[in-house]
Amino acid sequence: MPEIATTTMRERLGALFASGLLAATMGAGTLGMPAPAWAADTATIAITVKDNAPAAKYNIYKLFDADIEPNAASETHPGIATHVSWNNDAKAATLAFLDANGYGAWLKTRFPAYDEAALATQHDRPQNAAEFIAKQIGASPNDAQAATKPQTKAARSFALELAKALDAAFRAGGATIYHAETTAADGTKASFTGTEGYYLFVTDDASLGPDEAGTSPIWVPLGGSTSVIQEKTAAPTFDKQVMDDSAGSTWGKAADANAAQDLAFKLTATLPDNIGAFDTYLLQFEDTLPAGLSLSGDGTSSVVVKVDGATTITGDLTGKAGSISYSGNKLVVRIDDIKTVHKNLQVGKDSTVTVEYRAHPNGKAAIGAGGNQNGAILKYTNNPVTHSDGSGPDGGGTGETTPSTSTLFTYRIDLTKVDKQTHENLAGAKFTVQVAKSNSDDASKGAYVQADGSLGTDAHAFVTDAKGSFSIPRIDEGVYTIHETEPPAGYELEDADITLTVSRTFDGQKLASLSATSTGGEGTKTLATDIVTNATAEAATGAAKVVTSDDKRIAMPITGMDGVTAGIVFGTGAVVLGLAGWYATRRKRNGGAE
């Protein structure tokens, strides 16, 4: 079907909306009776769009033929319609909608003296239909301001519902859809030229790109004083963040953690300016975790969904209201209609919907600068006219934001034990590693590091291998106390515990730097070649490397061992003999008595 091409459909506030145009053009007392055919004049109207986004298209439907007399003196009544006649392509659908929305009762008040037979003759007359439409739209809340205010399903617009009915009928019946061409060199305007009358502009779904949404219905009195109109369209904004517990618990795009440590993640959708133009509004959050991250808790127990940070709607997302699921590392939170999901909840432009959950690094988590990036998207109802029932995403009628990502980093400790002087690697040294009391992460202070990098209450014994080393994968930044509990055979314990500090800086979602410093350990340097405890770091591999030494215990020999022994034996004998003689002399003096 032919369509109108425009240069963008990205939302920012439009100036003319349904009620202003239609009520102004077809208000009571401005319509003349049908007249014989006349030579139809043509007119041109420009549609302005903003942000110079990718091209999108309009479908344009004609409801009535009419003479539209310009009325430049009034902004609210830009044209006066006379000689109104049906566009036959729109007649059946328009009357069917009007009959279902109070047209018959209005005719009785419009012609109180008419009996049923006389009223029947008024039913199909285009002037009556046009006047009724003008009154209904003029009385509806769907004006340029109301579209930015909270609206419930009960307050949906007559103009929107009529546009939906006409759009469906035109597309189903293959009726005339008009053409237009882009005229502005900067790509911010599209113009349409046609015979005078009353038109409906709606967005063609197929032309919408990522992060775009269809316009609210634009009713155009072609031939009046208005020569420029603005589309009214908006897409929600979307962002994903992670809580950095090392920086005062702030939300950002990057963080780090040790194995199995729970971190908070948050997805935020901000509703568009024209949320009031939608009958229902679907939101579907889809977050795909990388292989190195796992959702924490039992099933989806850690997931919390809120509106404006105050109203929790997690419990509402069951049955027909929506769903929360996690399968194949993909978290999906679906809200069938954010406008009705929670009792007495009203949402408007700039309302936020957040999904928070907790996840942790697992045994597959990447270590180092590559990080563990996970991305999320938001699917949303993107056209208030053709798809405002929230039937998507699989049923069509939904837009999809570009992915928003966050990155989680994790590091490792590589410790090597060496001989202080010879530098040879020493096997069999035993250590415990504990999160220091001075660590920036309050929740982990005092915990012991386990073999996989997770934290626990029991001390794990790390033992250096034949190469004199051990590694601890997937540790967080922070301060650690490394305590040697048993030295290698033949060596003495280190003088003092080692305090290892692992620090990093982020540049957006990049690991800009990683550093490691140490104090304590074997720090006395007797010879220039002695190795004392030191630490270095590599951002690429995420390794905080510690080299520490022990002093060897050497049993020193004593030379001339035989002579010394003989001397000791001889001397001992002389002393014994001397004591024996002294004792015998004493007995003799005392007459043998003691």
Side-chain angles (χ1 to χ4, degrees):
M1 59 181 65
E3 295 159 326
I4 171 177
T6 68
T7 57
T8 179
M9 292 302 299
R10 197 178 295 269
E11 139 70 50
R12 311 297 176 253
L13 193 61
L16 289 177
F17 198 60
S19 62
L21 285 172
L22 190 55
T25 307
M26 299 186 169
T30 65
L31 302 173
M33 294 296 291
W38 65 94
D41 292 331
T42 61
T44 298
I45 196 162
I47 307 166
T48 63
V49 291
K50 295 183 179 180
D51 295 345
N52 216 21
K57 299 178 181 178
Y58 285 111
N59 294 337
I60 306 174
Y61 310 129
K62 189 176 188 180
L63 279 70
F64 301 104
D65 287 300
D67 275 344
I68 306 294
E69 300 177 10
N71 186 16
S74 173
E75 292 183 1
T76 58
H77 294 76
I80 298 174
T82 58
H83 305 106
V84 179
S85 63
W86 284 109
N87 170 20
N88 288 328
D89 286 336
K91 180 179 178 180
T94 302
L95 287 174
F97 177 82
L98 298 187
D99 288 340
N101 288 274
Y103 184 44
W106 179 82
L107 284 173
K108 290 181 179 180
T109 61
R110 177 71 174 82
F111 303 100
Y114 284 30
D115 58 21
E116 292 298 326
L119 281 175
T121 64
Q122 298 294 328
H123 178 267
D124 290 0
R125 294 184 177 176
Q127 177 175 312
N128 291 331
E131 188 173 346
F132 175 70
I133 291 171
K135 285 184 175 295
Q136 296 304 310
I137 292 181
S140 81
N142 201 5
D143 56 28
Q145 288 72 42
T148 67
K149 298 176 182 177
Q151 288 191 16
T152 64
K153 188 172 182 178
R156 59 190 176 191
S157 162
F158 179 94
L160 173 60
E161 296 304 310
L162 175 57
K164 288 164 58 179
L166 287 172
D167 180 75
F170 270 76
R171 288 189 293 124
T176 303
I177 301 177
Y178 294 86
H179 298 263
E181 295 179 356
T182 302
T183 58
D186 61 0
T188 59
K189 288 184 182 179
S191 66
F192 170 69
T193 299
T195 56
E196 288 186 346
Y198 204 79
Y199 292 80
L200 167 64
F201 285 59
V202 297
T203 305
D204 172 41
D205 291 332
S207 66
L208 294 174
D211 286 328
E212 295 181 334
T215 186
S216 302
I218 303 176
W219 301 91
V220 178
L222 192 64
S225 299
T226 301
S227 59
V228 178
I229 59 174
Q230 282 189 310
E231 65 181 1
K232 186 174 184 63
T233 176
T237 60
F238 180 64
D239 189 34
K240 175 180 175 63
Q241 294 180 311
V242 61
M243 176 71 77
D244 185 358
D245 61 1
S246 303
S249 296
T250 58
W251 292 106
K253 301 299 286 185
D256 41 26
N258 57 269
Q261 178 186 349
D262 277 353
L263 283 185
F265 292 81
K266 181 169 66 174
L267 314 177
T268 302
T270 304
L271 298 184
D273 288 351
N274 69 336
I275 185 67
F278 288 82
D279 182 3
T280 62
Y281 203 81
L282 165 82
L283 293 174
Q284 181 159 307
F285 300 80
E286 298 184 2
D287 193 337
T288 302
L289 278 65
L293 288 181
S294 297
L295 197 65
S296 299
D298 182 15
T300 58
S301 61
S302 71
V303 179
V304 178
V305 187
K306 293 183 179 181
V307 176
D308 291 329
T311 303
T312 301
I313 63 171
T314 315
D316 297 297
L317 302 183
T318 58
K320 295 182 179 180
S323 60
I324 302 175
S325 64
Y326 180 63
S327 178
N329 249 32
K330 186 175 184 179
L331 173 66
V332 178
V333 177
R334 177 187 173 101
I335 306 171
D336 289 339
D337 180 14
I338 189 59
K339 303 181 80 170
T340 61
V341 66
H342 190 79
K343 185 178 180 181
N344 299 325
L345 175 67
Q346 285 193 329
V347 296
K349 74 164 187 170
D350 299 331
S351 288
T352 59
V353 182
T354 57
V355 174
E356 292 189 34
Y357 66 89
R358 303 188 73 81
H360 59 269
N362 58 38
K364 296 180 180 179
I367 300 172
N372 300 269
Q373 185 178 84
N374 64 317
I377 61 170
L378 176 71
K379 294 181 178 179
Y380 57 92
T381 306
N382 70 345
N383 196 332
V385 175
T386 57
H387 292 282
S388 61
D389 61 352
S391 60
D394 298 329
T398 54
E400 180 178 309
T401 63
T402 54
S404 181
T405 61
S406 65
T407 304
L408 180 67
F409 295 94
T410 189
Y411 320 110
R412 76 172 192 262
I413 294 175
D414 291 344
L415 183 142
T416 302
K417 170 66 73 174
V418 298
D419 182 287
K420 186 175 182 180
Q421 291 191 21
T422 67
H423 307 175
E424 62 184 309
N425 296 333
L426 302 177
K430 295 182 180 180
F431 294 84
T432 62
V433 181
Q434 189 176 19
V435 179
K437 299 295 184 181
S438 58
N439 193 60
S440 60
D441 175 12
D442 289 337
S444 64
K445 288 181 177 180
Y448 284 96
V449 181
Q450 306 301 303
D452 62 355
S454 63
L455 302 180
T457 57
D458 296 330
H460 175 79
F462 294 94
V463 183
T464 57
D465 59 17
K467 295 182 179 179
S469 300
F470 66 80
S471 291
I472 310 175
R474 301 176 182 88
I475 59 105
D476 195 3
E477 65 83 40
V479 184
Y480 296 88
T481 300
I482 301 175
H483 174 66
E484 185 175 18
T485 61
E486 184 176 326
Y491 285 79
E492 65 177 10
L493 283 173
E494 288 185 329
D495 292 342
D497 289 345
I498 301 169
T499 299
L500 173 67
T501 301
V502 181
S503 304
R504 46 70 178 164
T505 58
F506 295 138
D507 180 7
Q509 294 186 57
K510 294 181 179 180
L511 179 61
S513 67
L514 184 70
S515 63
T517 58
S518 64
T519 58
E522 181 60 60
T524 303
K525 197 175 183 73
T526 304
L527 302 175
T529 57
D530 283 354
I531 286 184
V532 295
T533 302
N534 66 89
T536 58
E538 296 176 353
T541 62
K545 298 182 178 183
V546 182
V547 177
T548 185
S549 62
D550 277 345
D551 273 320
K552 193 171 186 178
R553 298 171 62 88
I554 304 174
M556 301 299 294
I558 300 177
T559 60
M561 190 67 180
D562 292 343
V564 173
T565 303
I568 293 174
V569 172
F570 176 81
T572 302
V575 171
V576 171
L577 290 173
L579 288 173
W582 172 80
Y583 181 71
T585 302
R586 183 178 178 186
R587 280 179 57 86
K588 185 175 183 180
R589 288 176 181 174
N590 294 333
E594 276 298 308

